[in-house]
Amino acid sequence: DDAEAVKWYRKAAELGHADAVNRLGSMFYLGKGAARDVSAALTLYQRASRSGHAAAMNNLGICLEERAREASTSGRGNAEALQTASLKVFAAASAKGNVPAHNNLGYAHICSHDYDAAERAFRLAADRGSPDALYNLAKMAEHGLKEKADLRKAAQLYRAATAAAAVAGTRQRLSDGSDLPRPVPTAEAEEAATSCESRAENEEIQRSISAERAQALEATVDDLRKALARVTEERDALKRELVQTQHRANR
């Protein structure tokens, strides 16, 4: 009973229980047991964050990120400042070992085009079994966001994300038992893996064909050089023979 949960979370929050404050914030953020209220959620997450609650810090980052998107779309508010603030709280939560925050920090770095930092953050989450982080690493490998695109590596990561999703079950953005109700995109990951493998095979075939053509061209050029050398040698021999013939005629 979500409404009952909100009632008890609220009572515990009033007693200063940081985890209850965080969970109450998530109920408001998700609109479970109460009307969806991102402003109320943000205030509660800020309150729990001040006590050093890592999950609340991560969740606060999500609220700030959402506010940044709204500001960017509407033109009202400082989207850049909000995005920077969200990155900072994600970093703080990540430093405390919060796994969803590792992944969310990576995505924040992607938005700011810091691909080295993004990969490091995604790796931290992926090492803890995060399907989203593995999926995001696959995207980076597929599109060459940090290094040259590597379709084989991308396919492996997409499949790893699918396998991790079978264990995780849901994509986790909010922390501490407040998962957003979205399934891991296993079908999309599997399709992306198959696509990457197919494109990698095509590229390898094209490289093989190009290499064969280059070898054939090199062999042809070598044959032409040899033929030219023979013609040059025959021409020089004819010249020498002509000179000798002229010398004999003059005698």
Side-chain angles (χ1 to χ4, degrees):
D1 186 329
D2 290 336
E4 188 73 5
V6 167
K7 182 180 79 173
W8 289 106
Y9 282 146
R10 195 187 299 275
K11 288 181 180 294
E14 289 170 355
L15 296 174
H17 194 289
D19 192 54
V21 175
N22 174 59
R23 290 174 182 269
L24 181 60
S26 295
M27 298 299 276
F28 279 114
Y29 183 84
L30 296 170
K32 295 173 66 175
R36 187 168 195 265
D37 188 338
V38 176
S39 293
L42 190 148
T43 299
L44 288 163
Y45 289 146
Q46 285 175 325
R47 178 179 158 192
S49 293
R50 284 194 289 271
S51 67
H53 197 284
M57 293 176 183
N58 172 67
N59 298 340
L60 174 59
I62 293 171
C63 286
L64 292 170
E65 193 178 59
E66 185 170 322
R67 286 287 177 85
R69 286 195 299 270
E70 291 172 355
S72 179
T73 301
S74 67
R76 295 190 298 273
N78 191 330
E80 186 176 348
L82 288 164
Q83 191 66 45
T84 299
S86 72
L87 191 150
K88 286 181 178 178
V89 291
F90 283 143
S94 178
K96 287 179 172 288
N98 184 272
V99 177
H102 295 327
N103 181 66
N104 294 337
L105 176 61
Y107 190 78
H109 282 308
I110 288 286
C111 293
S112 62
H113 306 292
D114 188 346
Y115 301 127
D116 288 333
E119 184 183 50
R120 287 194 298 271
F122 287 145
R123 285 285 175 202
L124 286 173
D127 290 344
R128 299 282 296 277
S130 168
D132 270 342
L134 288 163
Y135 185 84
N136 290 331
L137 285 169
K139 283 287 186 186
M140 289 187 72
E142 179 183 4
H143 298 290
L145 293 185
K146 179 176 178 288
E147 301 169 343
K148 183 179 178 182
D150 186 336
L151 295 176
R152 289 291 185 190
K153 179 180 178 181
Q156 290 174 354
L157 286 165
Y158 279 128
R159 295 200 189 286
T162 301
V167 177
T170 57
R171 303 178 71 178
Q172 191 178 43
R173 283 274 284 162
L174 296 180
S175 298
D176 278 12
S178 298
D179 298 346
L180 287 176
R182 296 182 297 169
V184 179
T186 51
E188 182 182 337
E190 190 63 34
E191 183 179 341
T194 301
S195 173
C196 285
E197 287 172 343
S198 177
R199 285 153 56 200
E201 287 173 5
N202 288 337
E203 288 183 2
E204 288 163 4
I205 290 170
Q206 289 301 317
R207 283 195 295 270
S208 176
I209 292 172
S210 296
E212 290 175 0
R213 286 175 177 172
Q215 289 176 350
L217 180 60
E218 186 176 344
T220 300
V221 170
D222 189 52
D223 289 342
L224 288 172
R225 287 199 189 99
K226 290 177 180 178
L228 180 61
R230 287 195 299 272
V231 169
T232 301
E233 186 178 341
E234 290 173 359
R235 182 200 62 190
D236 292 342
L238 286 171
K239 283 183 178 180
R240 288 193 296 274
E241 185 178 343
L242 179 60
V243 169
Q244 291 172 359
T245 301
Q246 289 176 341
H247 281 313
R248 286 196 296 272
N250 291 334
R251 286 199 302 270

